[in-house]
Amino acid sequence: MIAVPRPPAADPLEAFTEDEVRACVDYAKPRQRWGLAAYATDLLVLAALALTGPGRALVRGVAGLAGGWAPGRVVLAIVAVLAVRAAVGLPFSIRAFRQDTRAGLATQGLGGFLRDWAKGRAVGLVLTVVALSALVLGARWEPPGWPVVAAVAAVLLVLALAMAGPVLIEPLFNRFRPLGPGPLRTRLLELAATMRVPVSDVLVADASRRTTRVNAYVSGLGRTRRVVVYDTLLAAAGPEAPDGSGPPASSEAPHGPRTRDGTPGGADEVALVVAHELAHVRHRDVLWGTIGAAALAAVSMLVAVALFDLGQVQRAFGVTELGDPLVAPGLLLLAALGGLAAAPVASAISRWAEARADWVSLEVTRDPVTAVAVERRLALENRADLRPNKLLLLLFASHPQTMARIAQAWLWQERNGRP
Ligand SMILES: [Zn+2]
């Protein structure tokens, strides 16, 4: 276990101008308020459907379209709940899209945005229908070994999703291509070899069809494991990337900073971001995240079965048992509240893993100047909240705030001297 120093966040004005801070905060704060409003509204909608007479009547009415056929009623009840949630959530999503358009972050029109939104809802619908109807129908049938069977099935579903997601779901939203041969690819594969992380390819996602935001991520398990960088991140590294020898490409990036020795920042920045992602691979963060999610899913199954055995819970949700075809709103409300309760722990673990990946990327690249440049670029191009609310950070943030990440890079520099 490596010791990961996590210094407190520095003042944003130590790394950004006042105008830059204002531009970011003016975007991020309303975005966050509306996001919270959307989240609260979703919980209220679920509560209304699960706990009130009119809400239940609506779900019962839709489920009734299947007549007395239980599986049909189960599926339609789930569809009804998700359809109402989607309809109520859509205006919030469109508002966010419009804000992105005004800020120059969106690169698609409303039509493209709505297609993406519909695809996202459809994927959510399929996954929810599969998981919930299996649970409800399983509870009706009560096979031998129930509810352990439900817990095991939940674990298998989470593992299958983690493995198949990158090849089944991600391509619904983006096209991926291997990074073309050239100095950048050579450099990144060498980096992977140095970090003793076997990678055969770095994939490039066509994120620019949707956004100007820059990002990279790792996903998948076993043979589906991959490191993905947004094409927007590569833009500043030039066409398939000059490696310090090509023409300076920083004119393409509004903030394309140059590293201390005057080479274009692009390729160094990509290498630093990829080092961070490879650190996730080396420390098996995707695997551990999946194991955590699987354990949570298993426990949730056992809790759901136990809760719906209780008379009070049955009365509160107006159902007779977990196998009641109309149990979907109650189950989804409990799932949402469980998710809310788990968020502080999950996000704290995630922030710790991110801080570790940042530290490893500094140890590997020994390039804190580029690390700070990358953080600046991520913050400016993605309009990060440079003055985040401490409570929201604690509850929901998956990554340490920008100024904590920058402070960490400065700390590394202090300890190791200027490379
Ligand atoms: Zn990360």
Side-chain angles (χ1 to χ4, degrees):
M1 187 89 72
I2 56 168
V4 179
R6 298 182 64 183
D11 187 284
L13 292 177
E14 288 181 45
F16 295 86
T17 67
E18 243 169 84
D19 284 347
E20 287 172 337
V21 174
R22 196 174 315 119
C24 285
V25 169
D26 284 353
Y27 170 89
K29 292 295 182 195
R31 175 72 163 210
Q32 217 164 62
R33 277 195 291 276
W34 282 98
L36 284 173
Y39 187 44
T41 306
D42 185 51
L43 287 179
L44 287 175
V45 164
L46 277 175
L49 292 173
L51 302 170
T52 72
R56 284 183 204 154
L58 176 72
V59 176
R60 196 180 315 119
V62 175
L65 297 174
W69 186 51
R73 287 167 64 81
V74 171
V75 170
L76 284 181
I78 300 168
V79 171
V81 176
L82 294 190
V84 174
R85 288 175 90 178
V88 174
L90 181 58
F92 290 103
S93 300
I94 291 179
R95 196 220 148 264
F97 167 72
R98 293 212 185 283
Q99 190 187 359
D100 284 356
T101 307
R102 276 195 305 276
L105 294 174
T107 54
Q108 61 183 356
L110 183 63
F113 166 78
L114 289 175
R115 262 196 302 283
D116 278 348
W117 179 86
K119 268 193 277 187
R121 297 288 82 72
V123 169
L125 179 74
V126 169
L127 295 178
T128 311
V129 164
V130 167
L132 278 199
S133 47
L135 175 62
V136 177
L137 293 171
R140 292 175 75 84
W141 172 38
E142 283 214 14
W146 186 262
V148 175
V149 173
V152 171
V155 167
L156 292 179
L157 184 65
V158 170
L159 292 179
L161 272 180
M163 283 187 78
V167 285
L168 288 184
I169 297 176
E170 289 176 22
L172 296 174
F173 297 90
N174 282 104
R175 283 182 211 288
F176 298 89
R177 62 176 175 84
L179 181 64
L184 182 64
R185 181 174 185 276
T186 309
R187 179 172 172 181
L188 297 181
L189 294 185
E190 275 170 14
L191 182 66
T194 312
M195 293 177 73
R196 273 172 277 140
V197 177
V199 201
S200 52
D201 257 323
V202 172
L203 295 181
V204 181
D206 63 344
S208 60
R209 60 179 284 274
R210 183 176 300 127
T211 183
T212 60
R213 288 190 169 90
V214 291
N215 205 356
Y217 64 90
V218 279
S219 64
L221 292 173
R223 287 179 56 194
T224 64
R225 188 174 75 188
R226 72 245 343 259
V227 176
V228 178
V229 294
Y230 279 21
D231 56 356
T232 45
L233 177 72
L234 293 187
E240 273 341 41
D243 192 21
S245 53
S250 49
S251 60
E252 287 182 44
H255 314 289
R258 287 163 168 266
T259 46
R260 67 216 156 271
D261 53 347
T263 57
D268 290 342
E269 288 180 21
V270 175
L272 194 113
V273 170
V274 168
H276 170 105
E277 301 305 331
L278 291 170
H280 283 311
V281 177
R282 187 166 85 179
H283 292 281
R284 303 189 186 284
D285 289 339
V286 175
L287 178 64
W288 285 111
T290 306
I291 291 172
L296 204 61
V299 171
S300 305
M301 290 300 131
L302 301 178
V303 169
V305 171
L307 276 180
F308 278 90
D309 266 347
L310 301 175
Q312 293 113 310
V313 173
Q314 293 168 359
R315 276 191 298 280
F317 292 125
V319 295
T320 53
E321 48 156 345
L322 184 58
D324 189 317
L326 302 183
V327 78
L331 264 180
L332 287 166
L333 175 62
L334 288 176
L337 293 176
L340 180 57
V345 177
S347 68
I349 295 172
S350 170
R351 284 194 301 278
W352 176 81
E354 294 299 339
R356 177 173 63 183
D358 278 346
W359 191 255
V360 170
S361 74
L362 286 163
E363 296 277 41
V364 170
T365 63
R366 310 190 64 78
D367 189 357
V369 174
T370 298
V372 173
V374 164
E375 286 308 319
R376 272 181 49 79
R377 185 172 162 206
L378 284 171
L380 292 168
E381 297 201 10
N382 301 349
R383 308 286 197 283
D385 186 356
L386 291 173
R387 297 192 184 282
N389 175 287
K390 292 224 166 58
L391 180 66
L392 290 179
L393 198 71
L394 213 60
L395 292 179
F396 299 118
S398 61
H399 289 63
Q401 57 169 307
T402 300
M403 290 313 301
R405 301 177 81 174
I406 286 180
Q408 195 198 39
W410 283 338
L411 178 69
W412 189 94
Q413 191 166 10
E414 224 175 86
R415 287 193 186 171
N416 296 274
R418 265 187 173 272

